[in-house]
Amino acid sequence: MSKEPAKRELKQERSARTRVDILEAAITLFAKRGFLATTMADLARAIRMTPGALYWHFPTKEDLLLAAIEELHQRYLSGFVDLLDEHRGLSAREQLQAFTRGTHSFLGQHREYGIFFGMLAAEAADSNERVAEAIREKLGLYAKVLGGILRHGQKTGEFRQDVDTELAAHGVFGGYLGALMYQNLFRATLDYDSMAASLDRLLMDGALVRKAP
């Protein structure tokens, strides 16, 4: 490889790494302060970057938020590759257990990701329709997958028939984000993993399970 193409490739790699660093810092800062109260200047100071350099990567705060949403979406999906491969061989209950376990693991290891989504959803609903729609699209996709698992369980007789699967799926994801925000408030006395495990037991052994006649 000649020197010029090699330099271009190195520059592109550095730019990609910088972009990821910016997104990570933005997610953490927005989770702590909310996106309405956080300016691009605040973010530039937090990551020790000039505003001009930050704007080169993301021309507007909205562009940055949309990129952060997509980045977290891809990270979340990457944790379900194995589940999707094994999907047909699992019972509905096993699929649901794997789904909730993967979601709780993702949120438990990266609490700021879930808080970012929750904060962004609350603020964007009345202030930025484009950002709100991006969040609705991602959460709607997750709810669709979960709803499919619930419908499968109804067909196999594993789950109750009197549950609206679409509403239940949205309720579960709303519960995930709400529980994380709630636990963050009580983080000195409440452990997220224990709280999530309790929610799983309620879901798997109470709310959805089909009772014996």
Side-chain angles (χ1 to χ4, degrees):
M1 182 181 294
S2 63
K3 291 183 179 180
E4 287 305 317
K7 288 181 179 179
R8 283 197 298 270
E9 183 175 339
L10 180 59
K11 186 176 181 180
Q12 290 172 350
E13 290 177 357
R14 288 176 177 172
S15 178
R17 286 197 299 269
T18 299
R19 188 177 188 276
V20 171
D21 290 341
I22 293 172
L23 291 175
E24 194 69 38
I27 290 166
T28 300
L29 192 59
F30 287 137
K32 289 181 178 179
R33 300 181 55 181
F35 84 89
L36 291 177
T38 304
T39 67
M40 292 290 272
D42 293 331
L43 182 57
R45 283 193 297 270
I47 59 180
R48 298 179 181 179
M49 176 180 286
T50 65
L54 178 58
Y55 280 114
W56 186 86
H57 287 277
F58 299 100
T60 68
K61 185 165 68 170
E62 184 179 88
D63 292 326
L64 177 54
L65 288 167
L66 293 173
I69 292 169
E70 183 60 31
E71 177 69 17
L72 290 189
H73 172 63
Q74 295 301 325
R75 293 182 190 183
Y76 178 62
L77 291 184
S78 67
F80 291 92
V81 174
D82 293 338
L83 175 60
L84 293 175
D85 290 341
E86 301 171 0
H87 184 273
R88 295 181 181 179
L90 299 176
S91 67
R93 185 180 178 85
E94 289 171 330
Q95 290 179 37
L96 182 58
Q97 287 176 327
F99 194 90
T100 57
R101 187 165 53 245
T103 299
H104 289 155
S105 176
F106 180 79
L107 294 177
Q109 293 176 23
H110 310 284
R111 296 170 65 255
E112 70 277 12
Y113 293 175
I115 294 173
F116 167 81
F117 254 96
M119 292 277 286
L120 203 59
E123 292 186 311
D126 296 317
S127 62
N128 191 310
E129 178 57 26
R130 189 179 175 203
V131 172
E133 179 57 30
I135 299 174
R136 281 195 293 266
E137 178 187 357
K138 304 309 182 190
L139 293 179
L141 175 60
Y142 309 151
K144 182 178 181 180
V145 173
L146 179 56
I149 294 175
L150 301 182
R151 286 191 296 276
H152 175 54
Q154 288 180 332
K155 291 179 181 178
T156 61
E158 296 172 74
F159 298 150
R160 292 168 48 172
Q161 301 295 318
D162 60 342
V163 173
D164 185 303
T165 56
E166 181 179 358
L167 292 178
H170 280 287
V172 168
F173 270 101
Y176 287 156
L177 295 181
L180 189 61
M181 302 286 279
Y182 187 91
Q183 185 274 331
N184 188 54
L185 180 64
F186 288 89
R187 59 183 178 273
T189 56
L190 284 180
D191 175 70
Y192 176 74
D193 289 336
S194 298
M195 192 174 176
S198 295
L199 288 174
D200 280 349
R201 285 194 293 273
L202 288 173
L203 182 65
M204 298 299 303
D205 299 327
L208 287 176
V209 67
R210 183 182 181 185
K211 303 297 183 183

